[in-house]
Amino acid sequence: EALCILRNSSSRLIDVTAALKRIETITRPPSSICAILVEANMHKVLYDLMRSCNRSHPHIQLLKYILQILSNISDDTNLASTVANKHFVDIFIDLIQLFRDKVDIVTFSAQLLRNIILADPKSLKRCSKRENIKRLQGIHGLFERELKRNRKNFEALKMEKFERIQVLLEIILEECSKYK
């Protein structure tokens, strides 16, 4: 039922949110349902939904559920590469760039990008394109400057999150540079 709601483009936002909550709950590890959802191409539905999200609060909540679901699925190393498609890298770099001021979205997106490029050589190849590396370097530089500028003003938790993003971006950039 939840998958049908997500596939129906005319579904109300409240129904989509409720469906995502249900799916997020059933995909929490350990879960055998993740393989069934991948087989049903649910990740493609989630990618389409992600692309339709804007920066409004309700859409940010949707993105968090979607990212958690994809994270739950990609935690299974056998499934991590199956959730990648030819648009995966672009979608996640777009998310990181568009929501760069939303630390949770950036962290989730960077973690997923890292996990999947490590599991899927095709995704690593796509991520290693010059324009993607340039975008990731720009984002990395932005976070680096933000950390330097606000080191004294950040509370410990925010500082930890920014440092985590820095590390994730460094790992992604390092893996991409190895590919060349």
Side-chain angles (χ1 to χ4, degrees), residues 16-167:
V16 172
T17 303
L20 288 171
K21 281 182 186 178
R22 281 194 296 264
I23 293 169
E24 189 276 325
T25 301
I26 63 171
T27 59
R28 288 182 189 155
S31 176
S32 58
I33 211 84
C34 291
I36 295 166
L37 293 173
V38 168
E39 199 172 300
N41 288 318
M42 200 206 36
H43 55 290
K44 293 177 182 178
V45 174
L46 294 176
Y47 292 150
D48 289 341
L49 192 54
M50 287 169 68
R51 283 190 177 263
S52 70
C53 287
N54 60 40
R55 293 177 50 83
S56 70
H57 182 71
H59 283 209
I60 288 172
Q61 290 307 113
L62 286 181
L63 276 173
K64 287 179 180 179
Y65 284 120
I66 293 168
L67 292 168
Q68 184 61 59
I69 292 165
L70 291 170
S71 179
N72 292 347
I73 292 170
S74 70
D75 281 347
D76 181 333
T77 53
N78 297 322
L79 296 177
S81 64
T82 61
V83 298
N85 69 15
K86 63 182 180 178
H87 304 293
F88 168 83
V89 170
D90 293 330
I91 291 169
F92 280 85
I93 294 175
D94 286 348
L95 274 181
I96 291 168
Q97 201 163 27
L98 181 64
F99 293 94
R100 61 188 173 273
D101 60 325
K102 306 292 182 203
V103 177
D104 292 340
I105 301 288
V106 173
T107 303
F108 258 130
S109 299
Q111 284 174 316
L112 280 161
L113 183 58
R114 181 210 52 204
N115 290 352
I116 293 178
I117 67 167
L118 291 175
D120 181 49
K122 289 179 184 176
S123 293
L124 178 58
K125 181 180 179 182
R126 286 185 194 102
C127 193
S128 299
K129 290 181 180 176
R130 196 172 87 208
E131 64 269 14
N132 289 333
I133 290 176
K134 188 175 179 177
R135 289 174 68 195
L136 288 166
Q137 286 171 334
I139 297 163
H140 181 270
L142 184 93
F143 276 95
E144 193 170 60
R145 287 187 300 278
E146 190 70 20
L147 264 172
K148 284 179 185 174
R149 187 173 35 244
N150 294 308
R151 192 167 289 278
K152 293 176 185 168
N153 300 334
F154 278 167
E155 64 269 6
L157 182 60
K158 190 168 186 177
M159 180 71 112
E160 186 179 310
K161 288 180 177 182
F162 265 62
E163 289 171 345
R164 173 97 176 116
I165 291 168
Q166 283 291 97
V167 169

